[in-house]
Amino acid sequence: MLGFKTIVLRCLLALSISLATLAAREVNAAETAAPSAAIHFTFDRPLDASMAPFFLAAKDGRFGAERLNVSFNTAAGSPETIARVAKGDSELALVDMNELIRFRDKDDAAPVKAVFVLFNRAPYAIVARRSRGVHLLPDLDGKTVGAADGDLSMRLWPALAQQNGINTAHVKFHKMSAAVREPILSAGQVDAVAGFSYLSAVNLRDRGVPGSDLVVLRYADYGCEAYGFAVIANPAFAAAKPDAVKGFVRALIAGINATVKEPARAGDEAASRIDDGDRDLELERLRTVLVDNILTDEVRRNGLGGIDPARLERSIDQVAQDFKFRKRPAAGDIFDDRFLPPVQGRLIN
């Protein structure tokens, strides 16, 4: 009798294990069959190493793990990129947050918002040569600064000059194409150039200008409160597929953490996606971005991706010094924090 009971119990145990295995297979099959969300992601400028976290997230399968099928493309500037997202041609994109602020002032502007801030500090800077007598921002008085057409840094120059007591009439800006900006400074035809710190300064050193002769006057060091590049979302897509946006943000955070841990690998991945990409140059660019723009004290305290609403309000006021708002947007019109994970999931590991 005891032997019979033992056999019955063994049979029941085997049956329960079989049923559990079958159920697990059915769940896995259902998950595998679940369709991936397609995301067309647009960068607002040519590829460079500052985009490495996105590429590393893709390389490491982070987007796939979130059931996302992400493809990358580029556009000619933030205004064009924001327009793509507003129309739904791209679900997500990386743009200059200050251009988004200006876009939202339009009467017919779609309610596009940022959902993740990559650059906690804007990269705007004046890069000058010490040998031309420039060491600090006030030294630009009486100097000539090269500026590319449409350079985003120039949009916040009036606020920066006012904050630092600089008479804008005493600084001459020489308009030029972005392609000749660094060559003209290296040739000594201007005293400084306006642009992004991680582009112009690194490019100039690559051209042979001694690092000791260069001074990078970062707007953020002189009172500019602006945030930099941020991920924006198409409103309809975000409303229909909020989990996809949240998954993208989680994958990007993982990509940033991987970039911080392995900058050389991240730099290699970025360089491999750039035509004739120089690995050493892009690695130097990436290290500059991490220190100056991404891993700020604010980020180390509060985590990646978010904003300080009071700071964003002040930055909107700074934008207003060179842009006449018809209806000034509020911080809540620009940034939506609903897609961010809790702070613990955004801290730098």
Side-chain angles (χ1 to χ4, degrees):
M1 186 67 177
L2 180 61
F4 176 75
K5 288 182 177 179
T6 301
I7 292 171
V8 171
L9 287 173
R10 286 176 177 172
C11 289
L12 289 173
L13 179 60
L15 179 61
S16 64
I17 292 172
S18 297
L19 290 172
T21 302
L22 180 61
R25 286 175 179 169
E26 288 176 350
V27 169
N28 289 337
E31 289 178 348
T32 302
S36 296
I39 292 179
H40 301 88
F41 189 93
T42 301
F43 294 107
D44 73 339
R45 60 199 189 282
L47 302 184
D48 63 59
S50 69
M51 301 153 186
F54 296 90
F55 303 144
L56 214 52
K59 175 79 170 180
D60 294 346
R62 298 291 187 172
F63 294 126
E66 296 288 351
R67 305 199 178 284
L68 302 176
N69 182 12
V70 180
S71 59
F72 297 117
N73 59 79
T74 61
S78 284
E80 178 184 319
T81 306
I82 296 169
R84 282 192 192 184
V85 172
K87 289 191 299 182
D89 293 340
S90 288
E91 287 75 28
L92 301 173
L94 187 70
V95 303
D96 184 283
M97 201 159 171
N98 303 290
E99 282 301 297
L100 176 63
I101 291 169
R102 298 179 185 99
F103 169 83
R104 288 301 305 269
D105 183 57
K106 297 178 181 178
D107 289 334
D108 59 345
V112 177
K113 295 184 182 182
V115 296
F116 185 90
V117 175
L118 178 65
F119 277 25
N120 181 261
R121 298 205 311 177
Y124 310 144
I126 303 290
V127 181
R129 300 189 67 165
R130 297 180 193 276
S131 57
R132 309 283 292 204
V134 181
H135 301 270
L136 301 169
L137 197 67
D139 296 335
L140 292 174
D141 188 282
K143 303 296 185 182
T144 299
V145 180
D149 291 332
D151 192 294
L152 297 176
S153 65
M154 296 310 302
R155 306 291 289 273
L156 279 163
W157 166 252
L160 190 74
Q162 184 181 68
Q163 242 181 328
N164 291 275
I166 297 171
N167 187 334
T168 56
H170 292 175
V171 182
K172 180 183 177 182
F173 283 93
H174 178 65
K175 296 293 184 181
M176 61 185 68
S177 74
V180 300
R181 177 174 47 198
E182 286 82 20
I184 283 179
L185 179 59
S186 64
Q189 294 176 256
V190 293
D191 304 300
V193 292
F196 292 165
S197 58
Y198 70 95
L199 291 179
S200 293
V202 174
N203 291 345
L204 283 161
R205 286 194 291 271
D206 185 57
R207 291 187 64 85
V209 178
S212 59
D213 191 35
L214 291 175
V215 57
V216 182
L217 306 171
R218 300 174 187 85
Y219 282 27
D221 293 336
Y222 285 90
C224 179
E225 302 247 38
Y227 288 94
F229 293 108
V231 175
I232 62 172
N234 171 266
F237 179 79
K241 298 187 177 182
D243 288 342
V245 179
K246 291 177 181 178
F248 186 94
V249 168
R250 285 193 297 268
L252 177 55
I253 290 171
I256 296 171
N257 275 304
T259 299
V260 172
K261 290 177 182 176
E262 301 178 89
R265 184 168 75 93
D268 282 350
E269 182 61 26
S272 72
R273 293 171 179 256
I274 302 169
D275 291 339
D276 299 320
D278 183 313
R279 281 171 162 73
D280 292 336
L281 185 67
E282 294 307 321
L283 178 57
E284 183 181 358
R285 206 183 307 285
L286 177 58
R287 292 187 189 279
T288 301
V289 164
L290 289 173
V291 171
D292 291 348
N293 309 113
I294 297 178
L295 303 180
T296 66
D297 290 341
E298 184 176 306
V299 165
R300 293 187 184 280
R301 288 193 309 269
N302 304 327
L304 293 160
I307 58 138
D308 173 353
R311 176 186 160 189
L312 181 53
E313 291 286 357
R314 293 193 297 272
S315 76
I316 294 172
D317 288 338
Q318 291 180 341
V319 169
Q321 291 186 242
D322 187 53
F323 185 84
K324 186 174 179 57
F325 286 113
R326 283 169 288 191
K327 182 181 179 182
R328 179 193 180 281
D333 299 319
I334 304 302
F335 188 79
D336 188 344
D337 66 0
R338 293 177 299 164
F339 304 97
L340 295 175
V343 172
Q344 287 301 318
R346 295 188 283 117
L347 295 176
I348 294 292
N349 296 328

